[in-house]
Amino acid sequence: MSGKTPTLTERRKAATQLDIARAAARLFTEHGAQGTTAEAIAAAAGVAPRTFYRYFRTKEDAVAPLLVVGADSWREHLASTPEGTPLLQAVEDAIHKTISAADATQEFSWTRGLLLAASGDDSALAAVWHRVNGESETRLRPVLARLAPETDEVTVHLVAAAATDAIRISLEIWAGTDEKAAPVELAVRCFRGLSGGLVSGDHG
């Protein structure tokens, strides 16, 4: 987190983008990306088409703010970790809390449909999903560095990659199943598998 308080204009812009993203996710889930137009998304969000294109280049881009919400939330959990918590344990706890909290939201249920499309033949949605994950990993690094200032840069990068990929993999696997509950334990398992050996003695 940057620590900078967003201005009123920035908050309004973010709120509008999230409204559009929710409308896009709902319509994609109901009609598929191919059966949804940018104009339909704009109408569902209650904005003019020109407003839609002011914020997003394509209809697939419109779902990015919704996918980003979870990443922002878990970085906030991580940043509020009590001082002295081992780095890997802090990351694991934040993953567990964030995915558990997301489980009951409508937005999380839409995520399944988006990820199924992204893992199928929708290359445009796949590109958005992978871009969001790449950006999340980059934003995670300074948070980890502040939590564990004694940790070397290479390890910080590796932990950020492990955490991001653990969440991505668990969600992608979950999306292809009939399991209704969020993949909390799977995400933790993936993180432990990917981060094993990075910082000894950190897992609880």
Side-chain angles (χ1 to χ4, degrees), residues 12-203:
R12 285 175 174 168
K13 176 181 177 180
T16 299
Q17 289 175 319
L18 191 54
D19 284 343
I20 295 172
R22 289 185 177 120
R26 177 173 59 80
L27 291 176
F28 284 177
T29 300
E30 293 174 357
H31 308 293
Q34 297 302 317
T36 302
T37 64
E39 289 72 21
I41 295 171
V47 301
R50 66 177 179 277
T51 301
F52 177 95
Y53 285 113
R54 185 185 309 150
Y55 295 132
F56 305 108
R57 291 185 303 107
T58 68
K59 61 185 180 183
E60 290 84 8
D61 282 337
V63 302
L66 188 65
L67 297 175
V68 166
V69 166
D72 289 345
S73 176
W74 93 270
R75 280 197 305 275
E76 289 173 5
H77 278 299
L78 192 58
S80 63
T81 299
E83 186 177 349
T85 304
L87 182 59
L88 297 189
Q89 187 62 53
V91 173
E92 185 176 308
D93 290 346
I95 291 173
H96 196 286
K97 289 176 183 177
T98 305
I99 297 183
S100 295
D103 193 14
T105 66
Q106 177 65 63
E107 288 86 350
F108 196 70
S109 67
W110 289 332
T111 300
R112 169 172 264 146
L114 295 176
L115 295 185
L116 279 174
S119 63
D121 58 359
D122 196 320
S123 59
L125 273 179
V128 172
W129 173 236
H130 288 289
R131 187 187 79 223
V132 165
N133 278 277
E135 292 171 351
S136 178
E137 181 180 328
T138 298
R139 291 172 183 168
L140 179 59
R141 292 171 192 158
V143 178
L144 296 176
R146 286 195 296 271
L147 277 177
E150 75 288 352
T151 303
D152 65 277
E153 184 179 4
V154 172
T155 300
V156 167
H157 278 241
L158 289 172
V159 173
T164 304
D165 279 346
I167 295 174
R168 177 185 59 79
I169 291 167
S170 66
L171 290 176
E172 289 174 352
I173 291 174
W174 166 80
T177 71
D178 294 326
E179 180 63 46
K180 293 183 179 179
V184 179
E185 299 306 323
L186 178 57
V188 170
R189 174 188 169 191
C190 288
F191 179 65
R192 288 184 175 182
L194 291 167
S195 64
L198 288 180
V199 183
S200 62
D202 253 6
H203 283 309

